[in-house]
Amino acid sequence: MADDSPVTLDRVDWQLLEHLQRDGRIAVAELARRVNLGPTATADRIRRLTDLGVIAGFRAELDLERIGYTVIAYVRLRYPSGNYRALHAELERTQELLECHHVTGDDCFVLKVAARSMRHLEELTGRLATLGSITTSVVYSSPLVSRLITRPQPGSASVER
């Protein structure tokens, strides 16, 4: 069984994580210079943070509009039963379903969808509607797409007491 308990991170770990969140392709030598460690110690820390599951992976962030996905929407799905096989099958076969979150409240799932057009979105939501009742919200703009997680400051609401 995996240990999902929080990992204790020191100041240098947080510095490494902040730099890697900004640029996952930064060279270890440059990263080492920025955090005032040797390259070997830096690589060892990155390996340890990865092994502990703090760093879940490295990937390229795509500009969806530049590759033809001009419509982003969130679909709330009210699923009628506890058997999620059909949903999981749809998630497997549909690359345009970017995220799926099982949530509390009236809706069971919230899905992030990327579509090439409104007609394409209509096709995608039509398939999702066969699973249960849906509500779709199209994204106009995204003032905050993602945020860096930084070291909590003492006295802030995000630090446990």
Coordinates of all heavy atoms in Angstrom, one line a residue, residues 87-137:
L87 N -18.3 5.4 -18.0 CA -17.5 6.6 -18.0 C -16.1 6.4 -18.2 O -15.4 7.0 -19.0 CB -17.8 7.3 -16.7 CG -16.9 8.6 -16.4 CD1 -17.2 9.6 -17.5 CD2 -17.1 9.1 -15.0
H88 N -15.5 5.4 -17.5 CA -14.1 5.1 -17.6 C -13.7 4.7 -19.1 O -12.7 5.0 -19.6 CB -13.7 4.0 -16.6 CG -13.6 4.5 -15.2 ND1 -12.5 5.2 -14.7 CD2 -14.6 4.5 -14.2 CE1 -12.8 5.5 -13.5 NE2 -14.0 5.1 -13.1
A89 N -14.6 4.0 -19.7 CA -14.4 3.6 -21.1 C -14.4 4.8 -22.0 O -13.5 5.0 -22.9 CB -15.5 2.6 -21.6
E90 N -15.3 5.8 -21.7 CA -15.3 7.0 -22.5 C -14.0 7.8 -22.3 O -13.5 8.4 -23.2 CB -16.6 7.8 -22.2 CG -16.8 9.0 -23.1 CD -17.2 8.5 -24.5 OE1 -17.9 7.6 -24.7 OE2 -16.8 9.2 -25.4
L91 N -13.6 7.9 -21.0 CA -12.3 8.6 -20.7 C -11.2 8.0 -21.5 O -10.3 8.7 -21.9 CB -12.1 8.5 -19.2 CG -13.1 9.3 -18.3 CD1 -12.8 9.0 -16.9 CD2 -13.0 10.8 -18.6
E92 N -11.1 6.7 -21.6 CA -10.0 6.0 -22.3 C -10.0 6.3 -23.8 O -9.0 6.4 -24.3 CB -10.1 4.4 -22.1 CG -9.7 4.0 -20.7 CD -8.2 4.2 -20.5 OE1 -7.4 3.8 -21.4 OE2 -7.8 4.7 -19.4
R93 N -11.2 6.3 -24.4 CA -11.2 6.4 -25.8 C -11.3 7.9 -26.3 O -11.2 8.1 -27.5 CB -12.4 5.6 -26.4 CG -13.8 6.2 -26.3 CD -14.8 5.3 -27.0 NE -16.1 5.4 -26.3 CZ -16.5 4.5 -25.5 NH1 -15.9 3.4 -25.3 NH2 -17.7 4.6 -24.9
T94 N -11.5 8.8 -25.5 CA -11.7 10.2 -25.9 C -10.6 11.1 -25.5 O -10.6 11.6 -24.3 CB -13.1 10.7 -25.5 OG1 -14.1 9.8 -25.8 CG2 -13.4 12.1 -26.1
Q95 N -9.7 11.4 -26.4 CA -8.5 12.2 -26.0 C -8.9 13.7 -25.7 O -8.2 14.4 -25.0 CB -7.5 12.2 -27.1 CG -7.8 13.0 -28.3 CD -6.7 13.2 -29.3 OE1 -5.6 12.6 -29.1 NE2 -6.9 13.9 -30.3
E96 N -10.1 14.1 -26.1 CA -10.5 15.5 -25.9 C -11.0 15.7 -24.4 O -11.1 16.8 -24.0 CB -11.6 15.9 -26.8 CG -11.2 16.0 -28.3 CD -11.4 14.7 -29.0 OE1 -11.6 13.6 -28.4 OE2 -11.4 14.7 -30.2
L97 N -11.2 14.6 -23.7 CA -11.5 14.7 -22.3 C -10.2 14.9 -21.5 O -9.5 13.9 -21.3 CB -12.3 13.5 -21.8 CG -13.6 13.3 -22.5 CD1 -14.3 12.0 -22.0 CD2 -14.5 14.5 -22.4
L98 N -9.8 16.1 -21.1 CA -8.5 16.4 -20.6 C -8.4 16.1 -19.1 O -7.3 15.8 -18.6 CB -8.2 17.9 -20.8 CG -8.2 18.3 -22.2 CD1 -7.9 19.8 -22.3 CD2 -7.3 17.5 -23.1
E99 N -9.5 16.3 -18.3 CA -9.5 16.1 -16.9 C -10.9 15.5 -16.5 O -11.9 15.8 -17.1 CB -9.3 17.4 -16.1 CG -8.0 18.1 -16.4 CD -7.9 19.4 -15.6 OE1 -8.7 19.7 -14.7 OE2 -7.0 20.2 -15.9
C100 N -10.9 14.8 -15.4 CA -12.1 14.2 -14.9 C -11.9 14.2 -13.4 O -11.0 13.6 -12.9 CB -12.4 12.9 -15.4 SG -14.0 12.2 -14.7
H101 N -12.9 14.8 -12.7 CA -12.8 14.9 -11.2 C -14.1 14.4 -10.6 O -15.2 14.9 -11.0 CB -12.6 16.3 -10.7 CG -11.4 17.0 -11.4 ND1 -10.1 16.7 -10.9 CD2 -11.2 17.7 -12.5 CE1 -9.2 17.4 -11.7 NE2 -9.9 18.0 -12.6
H102 N -14.0 13.4 -9.7 CA -15.2 12.9 -9.0 C -15.4 13.9 -7.8 O -14.5 14.1 -7.0 CB -14.9 11.5 -8.5 CG -16.1 10.8 -8.0 ND1 -16.0 9.6 -7.3 CD2 -17.4 11.0 -8.1 CE1 -17.2 9.1 -7.0 NE2 -18.1 10.0 -7.5
V103 N -16.6 14.5 -7.8 CA -16.8 15.6 -6.9 C -18.1 15.4 -6.0 O -18.9 14.5 -6.2 CB -17.0 17.0 -7.6 CG1 -15.8 17.3 -8.4 CG2 -18.2 16.9 -8.6
T104 N -18.2 16.2 -4.9 CA -19.3 16.2 -4.1 C -20.4 17.1 -4.7 O -20.2 17.8 -5.6 CB -19.0 16.7 -2.7 OG1 -18.5 18.1 -2.8 CG2 -17.9 15.9 -2.0
G105 N -21.6 17.0 -4.1 CA -22.7 17.8 -4.6 C -23.6 17.1 -5.5 O -23.6 15.8 -5.6
D106 N -24.5 17.8 -6.2 CA -25.5 17.2 -7.1 C -24.8 16.5 -8.3 O -25.4 15.5 -8.8 CB -26.5 18.3 -7.6 CG -27.4 18.8 -6.5 OD1 -27.6 18.0 -5.5 OD2 -27.9 19.9 -6.6
D107 N -23.8 17.1 -8.8 CA -23.1 16.5 -9.9 C -22.0 15.5 -9.4 O -21.5 15.7 -8.3 CB -22.4 17.5 -10.7 CG -23.3 18.6 -11.3 OD1 -24.4 18.2 -11.8 OD2 -23.0 19.8 -11.2
C108 N -21.8 14.4 -10.1 CA -20.9 13.4 -9.7 C -19.5 13.7 -10.2 O -18.5 13.4 -9.5 CB -21.3 12.0 -10.1 SG -22.9 11.6 -9.5
F109 N -19.4 14.2 -11.4 CA -18.1 14.4 -12.1 C -18.1 15.8 -12.7 O -19.1 16.3 -13.2 CB -17.9 13.3 -13.2 CG -17.7 12.0 -12.6 CD1 -18.8 11.1 -12.5 CD2 -16.5 11.5 -12.2 CE1 -18.7 9.8 -12.0 CE2 -16.4 10.2 -11.6 CZ -17.5 9.4 -11.5
V110 N -16.9 16.4 -12.8 CA -16.6 17.6 -13.6 C -15.5 17.2 -14.5 O -14.4 16.7 -14.1 CB -16.2 18.7 -12.7 CG1 -15.8 20.0 -13.5 CG2 -17.3 19.1 -11.7
L111 N -15.7 17.4 -15.8 CA -14.8 17.1 -16.8 C -14.3 18.4 -17.6 O -15.2 19.2 -17.9 CB -15.4 16.1 -17.9 CG -15.8 14.8 -17.3 CD1 -17.3 14.8 -17.0 CD2 -15.5 13.7 -18.3
K112 N -13.1 18.4 -17.9 CA -12.5 19.5 -18.7 C -12.4 18.9 -20.1 O -11.8 17.9 -20.3 CB -11.2 20.0 -18.2 CG -10.6 21.1 -19.1 CD -9.3 21.6 -18.5 CE -8.8 22.8 -19.3 NZ -7.5 23.3 -18.7
V113 N -13.0 19.7 -21.1 CA -13.1 19.2 -22.5 C -12.4 20.2 -23.4 O -12.6 21.4 -23.3 CB -14.6 19.0 -22.9 CG1 -14.7 18.5 -24.3 CG2 -15.3 18.0 -21.9
A114 N -11.7 19.7 -24.4 CA -11.1 20.5 -25.4 C -11.7 20.1 -26.8 O -11.7 18.9 -27.1 CB -9.6 20.4 -25.5
A115 N -12.3 21.1 -27.5 CA -12.9 20.8 -28.8 C -12.4 21.7 -29.9 O -11.9 22.8 -29.6 CB -14.5 21.0 -28.6
R116 N -12.5 21.2 -31.1 CA -12.0 22.0 -32.2 C -13.0 23.1 -32.7 O -12.6 24.0 -33.3 CB -11.7 21.1 -33.4 CG -10.5 20.1 -33.1 CD -10.1 19.2 -34.3 NE -11.2 18.4 -34.7 CZ -11.5 17.2 -34.1 NH1 -10.8 16.7 -33.1 NH2 -12.6 16.5 -34.6
S117 N -14.3 22.9 -32.3 CA -15.3 23.8 -32.7 C -16.5 23.6 -31.8 O -16.6 22.6 -31.0 CB -15.7 23.6 -34.2 OG -16.3 22.3 -34.3
M118 N -17.5 24.4 -32.0 CA -18.8 24.2 -31.2 C -19.5 23.0 -31.6 O -20.0 22.2 -30.8 CB -19.7 25.5 -31.3 CG -19.2 26.7 -30.6 SD -18.9 26.4 -28.8 CE -20.5 26.4 -28.2
R119 N -19.4 22.7 -32.9 CA -20.0 21.4 -33.4 C -19.3 20.2 -32.8 O -20.0 19.2 -32.4 CB -19.9 21.4 -34.9 CG -20.5 20.1 -35.5 CD -20.7 20.1 -36.9 NE -21.7 21.2 -37.1 CZ -22.2 21.6 -38.3 NH1 -21.7 21.0 -39.4 NH2 -23.1 22.5 -38.4
H120 N -18.0 20.3 -32.7 CA -17.2 19.2 -32.1 C -17.6 19.1 -30.6 O -17.8 17.9 -30.1 CB -15.7 19.4 -32.3 CG -14.8 18.4 -31.8 ND1 -13.6 18.6 -31.3 CD2 -15.0 17.0 -31.7 CE1 -13.0 17.5 -30.9 NE2 -13.9 16.5 -31.2
L121 N -17.7 20.2 -29.9 CA -18.2 20.2 -28.5 C -19.5 19.5 -28.4 O -19.8 18.7 -27.5 CB -18.2 21.6 -27.9 CG -18.6 21.7 -26.5 CD1 -17.7 20.9 -25.6 CD2 -18.7 23.1 -26.1
E122 N -20.4 19.8 -29.3 CA -21.8 19.3 -29.3 C -21.7 17.7 -29.5 O -22.4 17.0 -28.8 CB -22.6 19.9 -30.4 CG -24.0 19.4 -30.4 CD -24.9 20.1 -31.5 OE1 -24.3 20.7 -32.4 OE2 -26.1 19.9 -31.4
E123 N -20.8 17.2 -30.3 CA -20.6 15.8 -30.5 C -20.1 15.2 -29.2 O -20.6 14.1 -28.8 CB -19.6 15.5 -31.6 CG -20.1 15.9 -33.0 CD -19.0 15.8 -34.0 OE1 -17.9 15.2 -33.7 OE2 -19.2 16.3 -35.1
L124 N -19.1 15.8 -28.6 CA -18.5 15.3 -27.4 C -19.5 15.3 -26.2 O -19.7 14.3 -25.5 CB -17.3 16.1 -27.0 CG -16.1 16.0 -27.9 CD1 -15.1 17.1 -27.6 CD2 -15.5 14.6 -27.8
T125 N -20.3 16.4 -26.0 CA -21.2 16.4 -25.0 C -22.4 15.5 -25.2 O -23.0 15.0 -24.3 CB -21.7 17.8 -24.7 OG1 -22.3 18.4 -25.9 CG2 -20.6 18.7 -24.2
G126 N -22.7 15.3 -26.5 CA -23.8 14.3 -26.8 C -23.4 12.9 -26.4 O -24.3 12.2 -25.8
R127 N -22.2 12.5 -26.5 CA -21.7 11.2 -26.0 C -21.8 11.2 -24.5 O -22.2 10.2 -23.9 CB -20.3 10.9 -26.6 CG -20.3 10.6 -28.0 CD -19.2 9.8 -28.5 NE -17.9 10.0 -27.9 CZ -16.9 10.7 -28.6 NH1 -17.0 11.1 -29.8 NH2 -15.7 10.8 -28.0
L128 N -21.3 12.3 -23.9 CA -21.4 12.3 -22.4 C -22.8 12.2 -21.9 O -23.1 11.7 -20.8 CB -20.6 13.5 -21.9 CG -19.1 13.5 -22.1 CD1 -18.5 14.9 -21.7 CD2 -18.5 12.4 -21.3
A129 N -23.7 12.8 -22.6 CA -25.1 12.9 -22.2 C -25.8 11.5 -22.2 O -26.8 11.3 -21.5 CB -25.9 13.8 -23.1
T130 N -25.2 10.6 -22.9 CA -25.7 9.2 -22.8 C -25.4 8.5 -21.5 O -26.0 7.5 -21.2 CB -25.1 8.3 -24.0 OG1 -23.7 8.1 -23.8 CG2 -25.4 8.9 -25.3
L131 N -24.5 9.1 -20.7 CA -24.1 8.6 -19.4 C -24.9 9.1 -18.3 O -25.0 8.5 -17.2 CB -22.6 8.9 -19.2 CG -21.6 8.4 -20.2 CD1 -20.2 8.9 -19.9 CD2 -21.6 6.9 -20.3
G132 N -25.5 10.3 -18.5 CA -26.3 10.9 -17.4 C -26.6 12.3 -17.8 O -26.3 12.8 -18.9
S133 N -27.2 13.0 -16.9 CA -27.6 14.4 -17.1 C -26.3 15.3 -17.1 O -25.5 15.2 -16.2 CB -28.5 14.9 -16.0 OG -28.8 16.3 -16.1
I134 N -26.2 16.2 -18.1 CA -25.0 17.1 -18.1 C -25.4 18.5 -18.1 O -26.5 18.9 -18.5 CB -24.1 16.8 -19.3 CG1 -24.8 17.1 -20.6 CG2 -23.6 15.3 -19.3 CD1 -23.9 17.2 -21.8
T135 N -24.4 19.4 -17.7 CA -24.5 20.8 -17.8 C -23.1 21.3 -18.3 O -22.1 20.8 -17.8 CB -24.8 21.5 -16.4 OG1 -26.0 20.9 -15.9 CG2 -24.9 23.0 -16.5
T136 N -23.1 22.1 -19.3 CA -21.9 22.5 -20.0 C -21.7 24.0 -19.8 O -22.6 24.8 -20.0 CB -21.9 22.1 -21.5 OG1 -22.2 20.7 -21.6 CG2 -20.6 22.5 -22.2
S137 N -20.4 24.3 -19.5 CA -20.0 25.7 -19.4 C -18.8 25.9 -20.3 O -17.8 25.3 -20.1 CB -19.6 26.1 -17.9 OG -20.7 25.9 -17.1

